[in-house]
Amino acid sequence: MSNRLPTLAVVGATGAVGTVMLDILSTRENVWGEIRLVASARSAGKRLTVRGEEVEVQALAPEVFDGVDVAMFDVPDEVSKEWAPIAAARGAVAVDNSGAFRMDPDVPLVVPEVNADQVRNRPRGIISNPNCTTLSMIVAIGALHRAYRVTDLVVSSYQAASGAGQEGIDTLHDQIGKAAADRTLGSRAGDVRAAVGGELGPFPAPLAMNVVPWAGSLKEDGYSSEELKVRNESRKILGHPDLRVAATCVRVPVVTTHALAVHATFAQEVDAAKARELLASAPGVVVQDDPANGEFPTPADVVGTDPTWVGRIRRSIDDPNSLDLFLCGDNLRKGAALNTAQIAEVVAQEFIQG
C-alpha cells in the first residue's frame, strides 16, 4: 500500500446523521483525499458542502465504490444490509452505523476509546458502530472496566426524542406547543393525552410533560430492542460475554442527548475519588461532578458536544465493589456520526502509514 490519503465515501450524506457527519468531517483533522457523497437516487445531483467545498451527491450504485478505501454508511438497516457487502466486495472497508451487523460474529463492534484494536479483525470487510444508548455509556464504563473489571450493570436510560428520528423531534415540539397554553395540565389522569390528541408520532404515549418507559420494539420476555442492545452490545464491545446487564430504557422530553443512570459492580473494591480521577483522564470522557454547587451533566448543557459527560460518581452505600454514576452523551454526535468517523480514521491510518 502506498503512502497516500485514502478515498472516503459517505453513504446517506443527506440524512440527519449524514448532515452531522459532514460537519464532523469539516472540523476534525483531515485524513481523507477524495470524499464522495452518496445517497438515494432522489437526492442525486444535490450539492452539499464538506471541508469548505461543494460536492455533488451521487446515486447509490455498485460503481460509486470503485476506488473507495473506506465507505461510511449512515442509512437504515435494510440499506446497509444490502450495500455494505457490495462496498466491501468492491474493495472498500465498510463502516456501518446501522444495526444490521452489530451482533454478527464476523463483524467487530468498535468504540475506538475502548477497543480500537478490533478494527483490523474484519473478515467480512465490515466494521459496525454501536447503538447510541450503549455508546453514551460504554466510553466511561470501558475505562472503569480496564481498571476494576466490571461484572454487573444496572442501567436506566433517559433517551431523547431524536433517537426516534426527525419524526420524534417534530412530535415532541408539536406536543409541547399544544400543552404549553394550559397550566392545569398534569393534574388529572389523561389530561395531557387529551391535550396532545392522537398525534403520538413514534411514541406509545405523550412525551411532552411525561416520561415513557419504552424505546424500540418488543422482544422476548417483555424486553425492548433498545434494552437488549445495551446488554448484548456492552458484552461484545468489552469482550465480556458473562457481563450481567439489566436495562430499562425510557424516553424523556429532551430533543437530543441521551442520559443514563448506571449502577456498576466490579470484581474488586472501588474508590469514588480514584474512579473520578481515572474517568477524568480517560479519552472521550469529561467529569463534571460537584453536586454541592449544582454541577453535574444534563442533556441541555452538553448537547452538541463530543465527549461522554459523567457526574454523580458515588461508591454504593451497600456494596464497596459498586459505583453509581450519571452519564450524558449526544446521541447524534458520539452516539452516531462521531464514532463512525473515529472508526474510519483508525482505518485510514492503515492507508496513510502504508
Side-chain angles (χ1 to χ4, degrees):
M1 241 174 261
S2 62
N3 190 328
R4 62 181 175 82
L5 291 181
T7 298
L8 174 70
V10 180
V11 185
T14 55
V17 177
T19 304
V20 177
M21 180 63 78
L22 298 193
D23 174 54
I24 286 170
L25 289 170
S26 302
T27 51
R28 286 176 71 78
E29 183 183 344
N30 183 51
V31 298
W32 303 108
E34 180 192 352
I35 294 182
R36 294 182 198 172
L37 305 184
V38 183
S40 63
R42 69 176 179 276
S43 296
K46 274 189 185 172
R47 299 186 73 81
L48 301 176
T49 302
V50 60
R51 298 185 298 187
E53 297 168 24
E54 274 206 348
V55 179
E56 187 172 319
V57 176
Q58 301 180 44
L60 182 56
E63 51 272 16
V64 300
F65 299 110
D66 290 347
V68 168
D69 299 301
V70 180
M72 297 195 297
F73 285 81
D74 296 308
V75 292
D77 291 17
E78 59 275 11
V79 181
S80 285
K81 206 163 206 166
E82 179 182 354
W83 286 95
I86 292 170
R90 296 254 169 172
V93 176
V95 182
D96 181 40
N97 189 28
S98 84
F101 302 100
R102 285 179 189 145
M103 298 317 295
D104 185 320
D106 291 325
V107 175
L109 187 63
V110 173
V111 181
E113 294 91 339
V114 181
N115 64 338
D117 58 305
Q118 287 300 305
V119 159
R120 288 179 183 267
N121 178 24
R122 48 173 196 262
R124 295 190 61 183
I126 301 170
I127 302 165
S128 199
N129 192 58
N131 175 265
C132 51
T133 315
T134 310
L135 257 170
S136 299
M137 171 185 79
I138 208 71
V139 178
I141 295 300
L144 293 170
H145 175 61
R146 277 193 295 275
Y148 300 119
R149 186 164 177 80
V150 65
T151 61
D152 299 76
L153 294 172
V154 180
V155 180
S156 296
S157 72
Y158 306 81
Q159 292 182 221
S162 57
Q166 189 61 44
E167 186 191 3
I169 297 172
D170 293 342
T171 298
L172 176 58
H173 281 300
D174 290 346
Q175 290 182 357
I176 289 170
K178 288 177 180 174
D182 185 351
R183 292 199 166 204
T184 69
L185 286 183
S187 56
R188 294 184 313 281
D191 59 359
V192 173
R193 197 179 280 269
V196 303
E199 303 300 314
L200 297 179
F203 310 116
L207 191 58
M209 305 180 74
N210 203 16
V211 296
V212 181
W214 190 257
S217 54
L218 182 61
K219 298 296 181 186
E220 59 273 12
D221 300 323
Y223 283 90
S224 77
S225 56
E226 287 281 309
E227 290 159 354
L228 294 179
K229 285 173 189 174
V230 172
R231 175 181 182 265
N232 297 335
E233 294 179 17
S234 296
R235 288 174 154 199
K236 185 170 178 179
I237 294 161
L238 297 176
H240 190 351
D242 300 323
L243 179 66
R244 290 184 291 259
V245 182
T248 302
C249 291
V250 182
R251 286 267 182 227
V252 293
V254 165
V255 175
T256 298
T257 294
H258 291 347
L260 302 99
V262 179
H263 177 82
T265 302
F266 301 92
Q268 56 187 280
E269 196 169 315
V270 289
D271 174 82
K274 283 188 179 149
R276 210 172 278 116
E277 280 173 28
L278 195 149
L279 288 167
S281 64
V285 177
V286 173
V287 172
Q288 184 182 25
D289 191 12
D290 185 6
N293 291 302
E295 290 185 12
F296 28 70
T298 74
D301 295 318
V302 310
V303 63
T305 66
D306 290 339
T308 292
W309 295 71
V310 188
R312 302 296 326 279
I313 301 163
R314 298 147 282 155
R315 186 163 85 165
S316 170
I317 295 170
D318 298 315
D319 180 4
N321 286 29
S322 295
L323 288 173
D324 290 293
L325 51 156
F326 187 80
L327 311 100
C328 290
D330 186 315
N331 53 299
L332 298 184
R333 287 187 72 85
K334 180 59 178 175
L338 175 65
N339 198 71
T340 309
Q342 288 174 305
I343 295 170
E345 287 167 6
V346 175
V347 179
Q349 293 307 312
E350 298 175 23
F351 296 89
I352 294 166
Q353 291 162 5

